Amino acid sequence: MAMKSLSFLAVLSLLAITLPLSIASDPSPLQDFCVGVNTPADGVFVNGKFCKDPKLATADDFFFSGLHNARPVNNAVRSNVTAVNVNNLPGLNTLGISIVRIDYGVGGQNPPHTHPRATEILVVGEGTLLVGFVTSNPDNRLISKTLNAGDVFVFPEGLIHFQANIGHSPAVAFAALSSQNPGVITIANTVFGSNLAINPSILARAFQLDPRIVVDLQGKFKK
């Protein structure tokens, strides 16, 4: 009986140690802030960046301007994502959050993609968007909804998701992500535009396509 109690306590202790690590996208900070710098001079390497001496931090380290400006959408998908993350707002380092502005032209979309390190919460500023995400195997269930200005939708971490402008005018959305550097994997670009290219026969079998179509797609997405 004592051995069973000891084993139970050991399991609880292990869960107590590992659960916070498993649910956090970014490590929790152990100080007020760690302004990221790219040089090791007098710095400590934390979460992918060196920390600036806190005494040298200024308001500009925590400031970004320009998200009120629309971005051009004259590209193949008719959208433009303006990201504010640790790479252009160094004060975000260790804080586990970032934000993006997404501009959509008429008929534009933010094509199917995933963020490997973040959950995303999106709010529509203008226009009408069809949004959705697909659950993991084996269900692969599409969860989708039409959003209008002021509506909010959440995309769980790591799941493939998208937004498409189905209105008759340009649309704008803003999204917060639970990582200072959430990463993005755009499905079509990654699969058909990888460097080096994936063998067409592998993709042809996976997508049930003629290999010639795969080669054509790889040509379109080639970097």
Side-chain angles (χ1 to χ4, degrees):
M1 184 68 178
M3 183 63 69
K4 288 184 178 180
S5 299
L6 184 59
S7 298
F8 179 69
L9 288 173
V11 170
L12 284 181
S13 299
L14 182 61
L15 286 174
I17 294 170
T18 60
L19 187 58
L21 299 177
S22 66
I23 62 176
S25 293
D26 291 348
S28 297
L30 299 177
Q31 63 284 320
D32 287 343
F33 53 81
C34 169
V35 175
V37 293
N38 293 320
T39 58
D42 300 321
V44 178
F45 197 68
V46 178
N47 209 22
K49 295 284 185 180
F50 288 98
C51 291
K52 187 177 188 178
D53 185 337
K55 296 183 179 64
L56 301 178
T58 68
D60 284 341
D61 292 322
F62 304 91
F63 174 77
F64 180 94
S65 180
L67 281 191
H68 63 292
N69 294 322
R71 299 305 199 271
V73 293
N74 53 343
N75 53 49
V77 295
R78 299 181 190 173
S79 71
N80 196 324
V81 179
T82 304
V84 182
N85 55 41
V86 70
N87 295 315
N88 53 13
L89 182 53
L92 286 175
N93 192 43
T94 75
L95 299 186
I97 195 169
S98 57
I99 190 171
V100 299
R101 172 191 172 120
I102 313 167
D103 291 282
Y104 312 83
V106 176
Q109 64 173 265
N110 191 10
H113 64 282
T114 179
H115 301 292
R117 295 181 291 275
T119 292
E120 175 181 345
I121 183 167
L122 177 140
V123 58
V124 179
E126 300 175 15
T128 302
L129 298 178
L130 175 65
V131 306
F133 62 86
V134 179
T135 63
S136 56
N137 297 348
D139 293 340
N140 300 136
R141 188 160 65 97
L142 173 64
I143 297 177
S144 182
K145 193 166 183 65
T146 297
L147 306 182
N148 294 296
D151 290 342
V152 175
F153 198 82
V154 174
F155 305 104
E157 180 175 340
L159 296 187
I160 295 173
H161 59 282
F162 64 88
Q163 306 105 36
N165 181 5
I166 59 173
H168 301 291
S169 60
V172 179
F174 294 88
L177 299 106
S178 62
S179 172
Q180 66 178 43
N181 188 20
V184 61
I185 300 171
T186 306
I187 306 306
N189 299 60
T190 302
V191 172
F192 296 107
S194 64
N195 184 20
L196 300 168
I198 300 173
N199 189 311
S201 64
I202 294 174
L203 297 181
R205 178 66 60 85
F207 288 93
Q208 298 296 290
L209 294 173
D210 187 308
R212 291 171 295 183
I213 294 177
V214 172
V215 171
D216 182 56
L217 287 170
Q218 287 179 320
K220 290 181 178 179
F221 285 97
K222 185 176 181 181
K223 295 179 176 65

